[in-house]
Amino acid sequence: MRIDFRINGIDQSIELSNDEMLVNVIRERLELRGTKIGCGNGECGACTVLVDGDAVCSCLIPAHRVAGRSITTIEGIAKENELSPVQAAFVRHGAVQCGFCTSGMIMSASALLAVNLKPTEADISHALAGNICRCTGYRQIIDAVLDASGQTPLGHEPS
Ligand code: FES
Ligand code: FES
Protein backbone atom coordinates (compact mmCIF):
# COMPACT_ATOMS: atom_id res chain seq x y z
CA MET A 1 0.00 0.00 0.00
CA ARG A 2 1.36 3.41 -0.98
CA ILE A 3 0.55 6.49 1.06
CA ASP A 4 1.21 10.17 0.49
CA PHE A 5 1.65 12.54 3.37
CA ARG A 6 3.55 15.64 4.38
CA ILE A 7 6.25 15.68 7.03
CA ASN A 8 8.04 18.80 8.26
CA GLY A 9 6.67 20.64 5.25
CA ILE A 10 7.94 18.12 2.68
CA ASP A 11 5.65 15.84 0.66
CA GLN A 12 6.48 12.14 0.90
CA SER A 13 5.17 9.05 -0.85
CA ILE A 14 6.03 5.71 0.73
CA GLU A 15 5.19 2.08 0.03
CA LEU A 16 4.26 0.53 3.37
CA SER A 17 4.77 -2.99 4.54
CA ASN A 18 1.96 -4.62 6.50
CA ASP A 19 1.40 -3.34 10.03
CA GLU A 20 4.17 -0.76 9.79
CA MET A 21 3.90 1.82 12.54
CA LEU A 22 4.41 5.53 12.10
CA VAL A 23 7.45 5.65 14.39
CA ASN A 24 9.24 3.18 12.15
CA VAL A 25 8.46 5.17 9.04
CA ILE A 26 9.78 8.31 10.73
CA ARG A 27 12.96 6.78 12.14
CA GLU A 28 13.90 4.05 9.69
CA ARG A 29 12.44 5.08 6.33
CA LEU A 30 12.95 8.83 6.67
CA GLU A 31 15.91 8.67 9.07
CA LEU A 32 14.46 11.32 11.36
CA ARG A 33 15.93 9.90 14.54
CA GLY A 34 15.09 12.78 16.85
CA THR A 35 11.86 10.88 17.55
CA LYS A 36 12.73 8.19 20.10
CA ILE A 37 11.38 4.75 20.89
CA GLY A 38 11.17 3.98 24.59
CA CYS A 39 8.44 1.60 25.66
CA GLY A 40 6.95 0.96 22.23
CA ASN A 41 3.46 0.68 23.69
CA GLY A 42 2.16 4.16 24.41
CA GLU A 43 3.37 4.62 27.96
CA CYS A 44 6.47 6.85 27.84
CA GLY A 45 5.80 9.55 25.23
CA ALA A 46 9.33 9.45 23.79
CA CYS A 47 7.88 8.88 20.32
CA THR A 48 5.51 11.89 20.39
CA VAL A 49 5.00 13.74 17.10
CA LEU A 50 2.30 16.07 15.82
CA VAL A 51 -0.30 14.81 13.36
CA ASP A 52 -2.31 17.74 12.02
CA GLY A 53 -1.20 19.61 15.13
CA ASP A 54 -2.24 16.99 17.67
CA ALA A 55 0.41 15.33 19.84
CA VAL A 56 0.27 11.55 19.35
CA CYS A 57 2.42 8.55 20.25
CA SER A 58 3.81 7.49 16.90
CA CYS A 59 4.47 3.98 18.23
CA LEU A 60 0.72 3.47 18.44
CA ILE A 61 -0.29 4.83 15.03
CA PRO A 62 -0.38 2.46 12.05
CA ALA A 63 1.41 4.39 9.34
CA HIS A 64 -1.44 4.01 6.82
CA ARG A 65 -3.55 6.27 9.05
CA VAL A 66 -1.44 9.33 8.23
CA ALA A 67 -2.26 9.21 4.53
CA GLY A 68 -3.05 12.75 3.44
CA ARG A 69 -2.11 14.23 6.79
CA SER A 70 0.60 16.58 7.96
CA ILE A 71 3.21 15.41 10.47
CA THR A 72 5.72 17.44 12.43
CA THR A 73 8.68 15.89 14.21
CA ILE A 74 11.29 17.53 16.41
CA GLU A 75 13.35 18.15 13.25
CA GLY A 76 10.54 20.36 11.94
CA ILE A 77 10.11 22.55 15.03
CA ALA A 78 13.09 24.88 14.56
CA LYS A 79 12.78 27.58 11.90
CA GLU A 80 15.79 28.27 9.68
CA ASN A 81 18.28 26.96 12.24
CA GLU A 82 16.72 28.99 15.05
CA LEU A 83 15.41 27.02 18.01
CA SER A 84 11.68 27.25 18.61
CA PRO A 85 10.65 29.18 21.75
CA VAL A 86 9.99 25.88 23.55
CA GLN A 87 13.35 24.42 22.54
CA ALA A 88 15.20 27.57 23.62
CA ALA A 89 13.39 27.60 26.96
CA PHE A 90 14.30 23.94 27.59
CA VAL A 91 17.95 24.88 27.09
CA ARG A 92 17.71 27.97 29.35
CA HIS A 93 16.11 26.01 32.17
CA GLY A 94 18.29 22.91 32.07
CA ALA A 95 15.23 20.86 31.15
CA VAL A 96 17.41 18.58 29.03
CA GLN A 97 19.55 16.08 30.90
CA CYS A 98 20.01 12.70 29.20
CA GLY A 99 17.71 14.03 26.48
CA PHE A 100 15.85 10.82 25.78
CA CYS A 101 12.45 12.28 26.67
CA THR A 102 13.17 15.73 25.32
CA SER A 103 11.87 15.58 21.77
CA GLY A 104 8.60 14.04 22.94
CA MET A 105 8.27 16.61 25.73
CA ILE A 106 8.87 19.46 23.31
CA MET A 107 6.31 18.13 20.84
CA SER A 108 3.66 17.78 23.56
CA ALA A 109 4.47 21.25 24.93
CA SER A 110 4.35 22.75 21.45
CA ALA A 111 0.92 21.22 20.81
CA LEU A 112 -0.30 22.70 24.10
CA LEU A 113 1.02 26.20 23.37
CA ALA A 114 -0.55 26.14 19.91
CA VAL A 115 -4.01 26.04 21.52
CA ASN A 116 -3.35 27.60 24.95
CA LEU A 117 -1.10 30.66 24.88
CA LYS A 118 -0.96 31.06 28.67
CA PRO A 119 -1.27 27.61 30.21
CA THR A 120 -1.31 27.21 33.97
CA GLU A 121 1.09 24.83 35.68
CA ALA A 122 -1.83 22.39 35.96
CA ASP A 123 -2.50 22.71 32.21
CA ILE A 124 1.15 21.95 31.49
CA SER A 125 1.25 18.96 33.83
CA HIS A 126 -1.90 17.62 32.21
CA ALA A 127 -0.54 18.09 28.67
CA LEU A 128 2.75 16.38 29.58
CA ALA A 129 1.19 13.60 31.63
CA GLY A 130 1.95 11.05 28.91
CA ASN A 131 5.63 12.01 28.71
CA ILE A 132 7.91 10.34 31.24
CA CYS A 133 11.21 11.89 32.31
CA ARG A 134 13.53 9.91 34.52
CA CYS A 135 16.09 12.69 35.01
CA THR A 136 14.75 16.15 35.69
CA GLY A 137 11.99 15.75 38.25
CA TYR A 138 9.78 17.78 35.87
CA ARG A 139 10.26 21.18 37.61
CA GLN A 140 12.67 22.46 34.98
CA ILE A 141 10.42 21.21 32.19
CA ILE A 142 7.33 22.95 33.58
CA ASP A 143 9.35 26.13 34.13
CA ALA A 144 10.59 25.97 30.55
CA VAL A 145 7.04 25.75 29.21
CA LEU A 146 5.90 28.62 31.44
CA ASP A 147 8.85 30.68 30.21
CA ALA A 148 8.17 29.78 26.57
CA SER A 149 4.64 31.13 27.02
CA GLY A 150 5.96 34.41 28.44
CA GLN A 151 5.03 33.59 32.03
CA THR A 152 7.21 33.69 35.12
CA PRO A 153 8.70 30.31 35.97
CA LEU A 154 7.82 29.15 39.48
CA GLY A 155 10.94 27.20 40.29
CA HIS A 156 14.41 27.50 38.91
CA GLU A 157 15.50 30.71 37.29
CA PRO A 158 17.03 30.27 33.87
CA SER A 159 20.81 30.06 33.89
S1 FES B 1 7.78 4.64 22.58
FE1 FES B 1 5.81 5.39 22.10
S2 FES B 1 4.95 5.86 24.02
FE2 FES B 1 6.86 4.94 24.54
S1 FES C 1 16.08 14.21 30.44
FE1 FES C 1 16.51 12.09 30.74
S2 FES C 1 14.56 11.12 30.62
FE2 FES C 1 14.12 13.26 30.58
Side-chain angles (χ1 to χ4, degrees):
M1 167 188 206
R2 177 164 288 277
I3 63 163
D4 298 327
F5 58 98
R6 176 168 277 239
I7 184 162
N8 299 335
I10 298 171
D11 290 330
Q12 294 283 352
S13 183
I14 285 184
E15 186 72 31
L16 295 177
S17 56
N18 284 345
D19 302 329
E20 196 162 4
M21 304 306 278
L22 178 58
V23 70
N24 296 99
V25 169
I26 290 170
R27 285 180 52 85
E28 306 307 328
R29 302 288 204 95
L30 301 176
E31 299 186 346
L32 295 170
R33 300 221 165 87
T35 300
K36 305 302 183 196
I37 301 177
C39 63
N41 60 18
E43 292 180 1
C44 75
C47 64
T48 303
V49 300
L50 307 184
V51 177
D52 291 341
D54 294 328
V56 300
C57 291
S58 58
C59 72
L60 293 180
I61 308 284
H64 67 83
R65 288 215 205 138
V66 302
R69 304 182 76 179
S70 180
I71 299 159
T72 306
T73 69
I74 190 69
E75 291 87 350
I77 285 282
K79 296 278 183 282
E80 296 176 357
N81 295 326
E82 187 170 321
L83 295 179
S84 76
V86 177
Q87 287 175 309
F90 267 59
V91 173
R92 278 199 302 280
H93 285 272
V96 181
Q97 292 188 18
C98 81
F100 196 81
C101 72
T102 306
S103 57
M105 286 283 184
I106 288 173
M107 301 315 290
S108 292
S110 299
L112 170 66
L113 295 183
V115 297
N116 183 348
L117 294 179
K118 298 289 180 197
T120 63
E121 185 166 350
D123 294 334
I124 296 167
S125 295
H126 180 73
L128 301 183
N131 295 83
I132 292 173
C133 178
R134 298 203 179 279
C135 304
T136 65
Y138 299 97
R139 180 71 261 165
Q140 295 96 318
I141 290 172
I142 291 171
D143 282 348
V145 181
L146 287 167
D147 190 359
S149 63
Q151 302 182 92
T152 304
L154 302 180
H156 298 261
E157 288 300 315
S159 52

